[in-house]
Amino acid sequence: MSAGRPYNSITPAWRSKPCLKVCAYKLYCHLSETEATKSECARMTGLSRTTVIKWWNTVDWGYGDFAKFDEMFYSQALKYSFATTDAEGVMHITYDENPQYTIEDVAEECGLTLEKARLLEAASFFDAPAFFDPLSRNIDDIRTRHANQHIPMITGALRSYRGNGNPFYYNLALNFWNFVQGRYAYAMGGVGNGEMFRQPYSQTLSMNTNVMSDYHRNIHPNPDINETCCAYNLAKLTKDLNCYDPDNAALMDYYERVLYNQIVGSVHPTRYGVCYQYAVGMNATKPFGNETPQSTCCGGTGAENHVKYQEAAYFVDDETLWVALYLPTEAYWREKGIRLTQSCEWPAQKTTITFDGNAEFTLKLRVPYWATEGFEVRLNGKLSTFNKTSHYLEIPHRQWRTGDVVEVVMPFTKHIFFNPDKMDLAATGENETRTPFTPQWVGTLMYGPLVMASPDIHSWQEAEFSLSANLKEVKPLYNASSKRARNLQMQDGTGGPLYALTLGGKTFQPDYYQTDHSTHYLRLQVGQGAKGKEQGARGGEKQELAQLM
């Protein structure tokens, strides 16, 4: 293949849907351990037998003649899911940006060394050099690309690394993730505008100038910008990266932020409905829909998202267990024969982990970036001081026994998550698409991992605030034990407190619970030292500066 040629610049004659359908059928047969036949391929794909015969010998999905094709074929083949069948057994090949299986997955299940090697080599034929090569050299080639077409390509690249050990794939995946954090992500963890990555460091401009037209060709501000499938796939990528660097708490800090905000916030709190695009910005209303998974791609992942909150709570190697998320969960470590149960409210400011079984191992507890005051750990009731390594607190290798209890206290702190660019333009009303403003930093008020949004702010004039460096103007509206909090817990339905803050007479609640007319970003003047900006920059400028250094 020609490594330097853009993978989307040509349309060779053989790049046709029949070819890809035959390819997908053969892969479907392998996955389902079904014998592949030309007549069955014709029936399931709806292709004529003549067409199937034409492509049958050309397409060997496992290895075969893949080497003859250039990168255009492989990039297009990625757009087709592994086949699904309806009640009549007819196969449907559909565009799928959220694949559940890859050739790398098949390779992992293959017990034959030669066949596994061939599968991994076949997977490499699907590389996109024009996208992968710059990323492998830490060059940002993300801008203006379709977001959720390319994020799954990165998760696939990381899966290739798992199979072939080539650091090229790991490096490009990690570099992509780092670029997303500071250059493209919003406070709730999502990315994109109109399904596309925009220019780096331009989240504020992209958010504030996004518009849509009505039937009368009038232009209106449109805050629906972050595709939920992007959050789904970025969470998947983050979880996979954490398997290789579990001591790097920045990975699970981000995972927590995107899970607790955009993913949890993408399902309606009182009825079933999930978001395709997510609402971000000024006076934003979430566009709930997708009552059935068939509505959009985010209808499918939107249904899946909310049954696997716990999947990245724990990680293990031979002798260490990492507690990465503080959620009410239960896990069984089969190799050690030990069960642990985590009991807490959600969102949690304290949690209790109990053990059932006897085993020796090291326990590591994530210290969230926002837990800057009052974080403590008790082992069997005794306040302990343990080693803290890269934002994980380590309880050294010991014999764990049934009845052991670890208590973690992590009070939420107030901080600001700033966008990397200042605000000087905004669409403010009907046919008012570029209203000028005095340049000013904009940021999101955070409480622990939670994006706090206000239903009381409906214009940028109402979103102007001056804050002290310690954010003393931001106050809790009530404490979790108050009668009002208990009432709101019942409304929330999670069993945990629905936190609220006040600032300048405006009320802020977690964005995951907001549905209509919420404002996420504020124009902020923060006092000398800009403590808020320093704390909020973990996912923004601070990480970007660290990367550049």
Side-chain angles (χ1 to χ4, degrees), residues 55-88:
W55 292 109
W56 189 261
N57 292 327
T58 303
V59 173
D60 181 349
W61 65 265
Y63 187 70
D65 292 332
F66 268 3
K68 294 193 304 185
F69 297 145
D70 67 17
E71 56 267 31
M72 179 60 180
F73 171 81
Y74 306 114
S75 66
Q76 291 297 318
L78 284 173
K79 294 182 179 180
Y80 289 85
S81 70
F82 300 156
T84 58
T85 59
D86 61 18
E88 286 72 41

Side-chain angles (χ1 to χ4, degrees), residues 241-249 251-252 315 317 322 364 392:
L241 281 169
N242 194 71
C243 293
Y244 299 100
D245 191 9
D247 283 331
N248 180 4
L251 290 163
M252 293 311 297
F315 294 80
D317 65 11
W322 287 263
K364 293 187 177 183
Y392 273 85

Side-chain angles (χ1 to χ4, degrees), residues 408-463:
V408 182
V409 177
M410 47 198 157
F412 289 170
T413 58
K414 304 170 291 185
H415 57 285
I416 304 296
F417 187 100
F418 279 90
N419 273 354
D421 57 325
K422 289 185 176 182
M423 172 189 166
D424 57 6
L425 284 175
T428 56
E430 183 177 297
N431 297 323
E432 297 176 356
T433 60
R434 298 182 68 83
T435 303
F437 286 82
T438 302
Q440 182 60 55
W441 292 110
V442 298
T444 296
L445 180 59
M446 306 285 294
Y447 193 48
L450 304 175
V451 169
M452 305 298 283
S454 176
D456 300 332
I457 297 174
H458 304 105
S459 70
W460 284 110
Q461 288 73 21
E462 296 176 348

Side-chain angles (χ1 to χ4, degrees), residues 115-183:
E115 182 67 9
K116 181 174 182 177
R118 287 180 169 178
L119 285 166
L120 289 170
E121 185 171 355
S124 72
F125 294 155
F126 287 82
D127 288 357
F131 183 45
F132 283 6
D133 289 355
L135 286 172
S136 71
R137 302 193 301 272
N138 206 25
I139 298 171
D140 182 358
D141 196 37
I142 300 172
R143 66 190 72 192
T144 72
R145 292 187 182 274
H146 187 276
N148 205 46
Q149 177 186 346
H150 289 83
I151 301 170
M153 294 168 69
I154 302 299
T155 60
L158 189 59
R159 207 59 181 257
S160 289
Y161 172 70
R162 178 173 170 176
N164 60 30
N166 186 344
F168 169 85
Y169 296 102
Y170 177 80
N171 291 337
L172 74 87
L174 181 60
N175 292 339
F176 176 89
W177 188 89
N178 282 325
F179 284 139
V180 164
Q181 299 309 301
R183 302 185 183 199

Side-chain angles (χ1 to χ4, degrees), residues 108-422:
E108 289 178 16
E109 300 298 324
C110 183
L112 301 175
T113 302
L114 178 59
E115 182 67 9
K116 181 174 182 177
R118 287 180 169 178
L119 285 166
L120 289 170
E121 185 171 355
S124 72
F125 294 155
F126 287 82
D127 288 357
F131 183 45
F132 283 6
D133 289 355
L135 286 172
S136 71
R137 302 193 301 272
N138 206 25
I139 298 171
D140 182 358
D141 196 37
I142 300 172
R143 66 190 72 192
T144 72
R145 292 187 182 274
H146 187 276
N148 205 46
Q149 177 186 346
H150 289 83
I151 301 170
M153 294 168 69
I154 302 299
T155 60
L158 189 59
R159 207 59 181 257
S160 289
Y161 172 70
R162 178 173 170 176
N164 60 30
N166 186 344
F168 169 85
Y169 296 102
Y170 177 80
N171 291 337
L172 74 87
L174 181 60
N175 292 339
F176 176 89
W177 188 89
N178 282 325
F179 284 139
V180 164
Q181 299 309 301
R183 302 185 183 199
Y184 299 99
Y186 288 90
M188 55 287 298
V191 298
N193 185 337
E195 298 190 351
M196 308 296 290
F197 284 111
R198 300 300 178 177
Q199 293 296 322
Y201 306 114
S202 66
Q203 289 94 314
T204 301
L205 180 66
S206 180
M207 170 183 71
N208 283 356
T209 58
N210 196 54
V211 294
M212 65 183 298
S213 62
D214 60 24
Y215 290 111
H216 302 289
R217 298 186 179 180
N218 293 310
I219 306 299
H220 303 266
N222 178 30
D224 303 340
I225 57 176
N226 281 2
E227 186 181 353
T228 305
C229 281
C230 295
Y232 165 94
N233 278 310
L234 283 170
K236 181 184 293 186
L237 173 62
T238 304
K239 173 177 64 71
D240 291 350
L241 281 169
N242 194 71
C243 293
Y244 299 100
D245 191 9
D247 283 331
N248 180 4
L251 290 163
M252 293 311 297
D253 281 344
Y254 170 76
Y255 189 99
E256 177 184 64
R257 185 158 52 89
V258 74
L259 172 63
Y260 286 21
N261 294 291
Q262 182 158 349
I263 291 180
V264 174
S266 68
V267 66
H268 198 284
T270 60
R271 60 174 174 82
Y272 185 75
V274 295
C275 294
Y276 166 42
Q277 301 285 3
Y278 196 79
V280 181
M282 172 59 61
N283 196 26
T285 295
K286 295 177 184 176
F288 287 108
N290 294 290
E291 285 79 6
T292 62
Q294 295 91 335
S295 299
T296 70
C297 61
C298 296
T301 55
E304 180 186 342
N305 276 331
H306 308 290
V307 296
K308 62 175 191 177
Y309 295 157
Q310 76 290 349
E311 74 168 0
Y314 308 99
F315 294 80
V316 297
D317 65 11
D318 291 343
E319 298 298 331
T320 304
L321 185 148
W322 287 263
V323 179
L325 294 174
Y326 299 105
L327 299 165
T329 49
E330 182 177 294
Y332 181 65
W333 192 353
R334 186 179 298 107
E335 291 77 7
K336 293 289 187 181
I338 195 165
R339 186 180 305 276
L340 60 152
T341 302
Q342 191 175 167
S343 303
C344 58
E345 297 176 331
W346 186 89
Q349 295 195 73
K350 60 181 179 180
T351 189
T352 301
I353 304 171
T354 56
F355 295 84
D356 182 10
N358 301 317
E360 292 186 15
F361 58 90
T362 298
L363 181 68
K364 293 187 177 183
L365 305 162
R366 182 174 62 93
V367 183
Y369 81 93
W370 44 262
T372 56
E373 301 172 7
F375 185 91
E376 63 180 39
V377 174
R378 294 178 183 270
L379 175 57
N380 295 329
K382 182 179 179 181
L383 183 64
S384 304
T385 301
F386 300 108
N387 295 329
K388 184 178 176 184
T389 58
S390 187
H391 298 283
Y392 273 85
L393 188 146
E394 178 181 319
I395 299 179
H397 198 87
R398 68 183 299 273
Q399 176 72 42
W400 296 88
R401 295 181 171 84
T402 298
D404 282 342
V405 177
V406 172
E407 300 168 273
V408 182
V409 177
M410 47 198 157
F412 289 170
T413 58
K414 304 170 291 185
H415 57 285
I416 304 296
F417 187 100
F418 279 90
N419 273 354
D421 57 325
K422 289 185 176 182

